Amino acid sequence: MRASALLADGARRLVAAGLPSPQADARILLAHALSVEPSELALTSVDDAGQARFRTLLNARAAGQPVQYLTGVAYFRTVAVHVGPGVFIPRPETESLAGWAIEALRQGRTRDGRAPVVVELCAGSGAISASIAAELPGCEQHAVELSPDAFAYLRANVPGAHLVLADMDGALPELDGTVDVVVANPPYIPDTDRALVAADVLAHEPELALFSGPDGLDALRVVVRVAARLLRPGGWVGIEHDESTGSGAVAALEASSVFEQVQDRRDLAGRPRFVTARLAG
């Protein structure tokens, strides 16, 4: 059977299930079932075993399981990271935060020639750390994650970093006052916005990585406190936030009284996405 016929059938099935990207999902799942690149599907014939694998994946996706959990891979900037049940799936909007962190580290290296020190808090899969390792090798990297399930993926994705399974609040005391950049994509959805979250996200992705108190800023406030402890004077922090809470994120950093140059920044879609600040000297 030709792949094109299977793709059309699979897309129809996912449309009927009410999923947002049926054609793209079907294409990714069929390529995964056949162990080929999506670009090779037009020239690929599918035997009975391949059809069976595809239909199993299609059934799981129609039931709401994320495509990335089914393939075991999520793509982020220039890297592919391992993901699966128990870890938050990295989103494209976080790529802007990662790009900012890479540029801040690059500028720090240029100034004095030493290896910059970076800490990722609420690391999850480690997508930000993995992109830093790929795009700016030679940094001294540390990452902290609270969930044992997510930590297993972090360990697979960032093997060259110093990884800590712990609550970030008290983590890495040996680095106090020495870190150049702290970066975090903490949980940030307000509890009151639960009804706005897609059903498949609620059903499959870890709640620990999604929600953060009535205003969505509980974890961010902890990141601010930890960053103030870890950073050297002149070091930078970047923290992702919900697009509705940018003013609150800015206020949390300004209220700490130790940060300056607080700025809310936008992602590639032009939405308020992450806040950055410099630890005053």
Side-chain angles (χ1 to χ4, degrees):
M1 187 174 187
R2 299 299 300 177
S4 57
L6 272 178
L7 280 175
D9 180 63
R12 285 193 295 269
R13 173 73 189 281
L14 297 182
V15 167
L19 295 171
S21 304
Q23 293 181 336
D25 288 356
R27 187 174 180 82
I28 291 169
L29 293 177
L30 181 57
H32 180 70
L34 302 179
S35 299
V36 300
E37 294 296 323
S39 60
E40 298 173 331
L41 288 175
L43 302 176
T44 302
S45 295
V46 188
D47 60 16
D48 290 344
Q51 292 182 49
R53 289 193 298 271
F54 176 56
R55 297 195 188 283
T56 297
L57 292 169
L58 203 63
N59 289 338
R61 179 61 187 135
Q65 291 190 42
V67 168
Q68 295 88 344
Y69 284 0
L70 295 173
T71 63
V73 175
Y75 296 94
F76 185 86
R77 287 181 67 90
T78 64
V79 298
V81 295
H82 301 288
V83 295
V87 69
F88 180 74
I89 298 168
R91 267 51 172 191
E93 48 265 36
T94 305
E95 293 183 0
S96 296
L97 172 61
W100 168 86
I102 289 166
E103 185 56 33
L105 290 163
R106 183 176 286 118
Q107 291 178 1
R109 169 180 287 176
T110 300
R111 278 196 299 271
D112 58 21
R114 66 180 177 83
V117 181
V118 57
V119 173
E120 182 183 5
L121 302 174
C122 307
S125 67
I128 295 175
S129 290
S131 64
I132 291 171
E135 297 180 50
L136 194 66
C139 294
E140 180 185 326
Q141 292 189 253
H142 306 262
V144 181
E145 172 54 42
L146 177 62
S147 163
D149 290 335
F151 190 80
Y153 293 99
L154 175 63
R155 189 165 48 199
N157 291 322
V158 201
H162 173 224
L163 308 177
V164 179
L165 176 62
D167 187 318
M168 64 176 164
D169 206 3
L172 300 172
E174 69 276 14
L175 296 181
D176 286 359
T178 68
V179 176
D180 294 288
V181 172
V182 171
V183 62
N185 178 17
Y188 57 64
I189 302 174
D191 291 341
T192 52
D193 287 353
R194 184 177 294 266
L196 303 178
V197 179
D200 58 338
V201 174
L202 284 176
H204 296 283
E205 296 193 59
E207 186 165 315
L208 181 66
L210 299 175
F211 299 99
S212 191
D215 63 358
L217 296 172
D218 282 3
L220 182 142
R221 294 186 183 99
V222 179
V223 173
V224 170
R225 183 166 66 242
V226 176
R229 169 172 63 82
L230 290 174
L231 288 171
R232 60 166 177 79
W236 288 87
V237 60
I239 316 169
E240 187 164 328
H241 59 71
D242 186 81
E243 61 186 87
S244 67
T245 59
S247 60
V250 168
L253 279 157
E254 291 178 339
S256 71
S257 75
V258 298
F259 287 100
E260 59 188 15
Q261 300 181 41
V262 181
Q263 181 179 353
D264 200 27
R265 299 175 185 259
R266 296 178 179 269
D267 61 23
L268 294 177
R271 293 171 295 202
R273 183 56 59 189
F274 64 100
V275 62
T276 63
R278 181 179 183 269
L279 187 70

